Every structure is written in C-alpha cells, then in structure tokens.
Amino acid sequence: MERARPLPSRRRLLKGAALAAVPYALLPDARAGAQAQAVDYPPAEWESATTSNYTVSNRPTSYDLDYVIIHVTQETYADTLAIFQNPQKKVSAHYLVRSADGHVAQCVRETDVAWHAGNWDYNTRSIGIEHEGWVDQPAYFTDALYEQSARLTAAICAKYGIPKDRAHIIGHYEVPGTDHTDPGPNWDWTRYIRLVNFA
C-alpha cells in the first residue's frame, strides 16, 4: 500500500502563486548579458552581420591592425544593417554609426576580418566604420555622428596602438585599388582627427 503524500503547506502554495503572478516582462532578459559581452566597444549595440559576409580570424595575432577606415553608407542605418545581414551581399563593416544620434552598432567582432575596403590586405589590417548618410548630403554628418564616431575611433586606436593621425585613420577612397569616393568632400577631416585626439 502506498503512503499518502503530505499536502503542501499554505505558505508554499502562496509563494508559488506569487511567483506565478510576477509578470514575465519584469524578469531579466536572458539575451541582455550575452549582448553586453558580444561587443568589443561597450557603448555599442550588437547587430551581427551574417557569417557569410566576413572572415573569422584571430586579430591582432593573425594580422596586425594598422588602420581605421572611415566609410559613408550611401544607405539608411536600417538598410545598411539589412545589407550586412543578407548573405548575398558579401559586405560588412565592424561598426555602423547612426546619423541622428550617433548610436553605434557593432556588426563584426574586431578579431574578425570585415569585408569593407575592397582590398583584402587592407581588410585584414583595419577596422571599418560605416556612417549613415550620403557623400553629397552633409546634413547627415551631425555633431552626434562625428562625436560618437571619434570616441569609437579613439578607443580602437588606443586598444591596438594605432596612431591617431591621417596616415592611419583613412577614408575608403584612400584604399589602393578602390573605386569608392567615401566619405567624400563634405567629411570634415580636420574636425574629426581633432575629436579623435581629444576623446
């Protein structure tokens, strides 16, 4: 004959009911910790490019990091993220900076090789930063965009020992063999390098 199980105490029933009543939205998001650990630059938000659009690596062990390459998207922020997440596009950058508020998204880990420069040697030796906007529309180059991008570039330069000068912080148009013109004639290099050095 089986013994009857004791009934749960009133206290245990009340505790169980209280836990069940806690709204799910108040519990911590399991992804929050993972996202914070995924970024190399703490103010950034993780917005991963598809693995079809970059090369997994172990930089700076596998390749020295010598450059930060400045790009302008010729697309909106949202469309650029969609391009990086489309495996057919075969393009990515490590970071994307939004025009309106300078918000930074990280799309590729700094250890990996993003496909942004159009030159394999420069891809392996650089961090690529895209900026939302168009080269012929300087209104996209807001104070927030310049300031947040400069902080990001300063942090990258400090981490990898990259000099904070125009020989090492270059435009996409300066990559050998490129047919790109970004960031274009409206990008204020003097202001940008000054901001990087004061960040």
Side-chain angles (χ1 to χ4, degrees), residues 6 15 17 66 70 74 136 146-147:
K15 280 175 72 176
D66 302 316
I70 303 300
Q74 300 296 106
D136 60 348
Y146 274 119
E147 290 163 10

Side-chain angles (χ1 to χ4, degrees), residues 18-32:
L19 285 174
V22 172
Y24 187 75
L26 295 178
L27 297 174
D29 183 355
R31 296 173 303 161

Side-chain angles (χ1 to χ4, degrees), residues 25-158:
L26 295 178
L27 297 174
D29 183 355
R31 296 173 303 161
Q35 277 189 333
Q37 293 173 354
V39 295
D40 296 308
Y41 178 65
E45 171 187 20
W46 184 248
E47 289 284 353
S48 182
T50 179
T51 55
S52 300
N53 290 349
Y54 65 89
T55 302
V56 174
S57 189
N58 187 28
R59 302 181 317 160
T61 303
S62 52
Y63 301 100
D64 290 335
L65 285 166
D66 302 316
Y67 301 103
V68 175
I69 300 180
I70 303 300
H71 301 266
V72 171
T73 61
Q74 300 296 106
E75 296 285 349
T76 65
Y77 177 89
D79 286 349
T80 302
L81 289 176
I83 288 167
F84 291 170
Q85 293 163 355
N86 180 340
Q88 305 302 313
K89 295 297 186 176
K90 306 298 183 202
V91 67
S92 63
H94 295 93
Y95 294 98
L96 170 62
V97 183
R98 189 164 55 205
S99 172
D101 56 4
H103 177 77
V104 177
Q106 182 171 3
C107 305
V108 176
R109 295 299 305 262
E110 292 174 3
T111 56
D112 296 331
V113 179
W115 301 346
H116 61 96
N119 175 314
W120 178 249
D121 181 49
Y122 275 71
N123 279 343
T124 63
R125 297 189 295 134
S126 65
I127 300 289
I129 304 176
E130 286 279 2
H131 298 82
E132 179 185 26
W134 282 262
V135 296
D136 60 348
Q137 296 180 37
Y140 276 91
F141 304 154
T142 63
D143 291 344
L145 178 136
Y146 274 119
E147 290 163 10
Q148 296 308 315
S149 176
R151 287 183 185 142
L152 169 61
T153 295
I156 292 166
C157 290

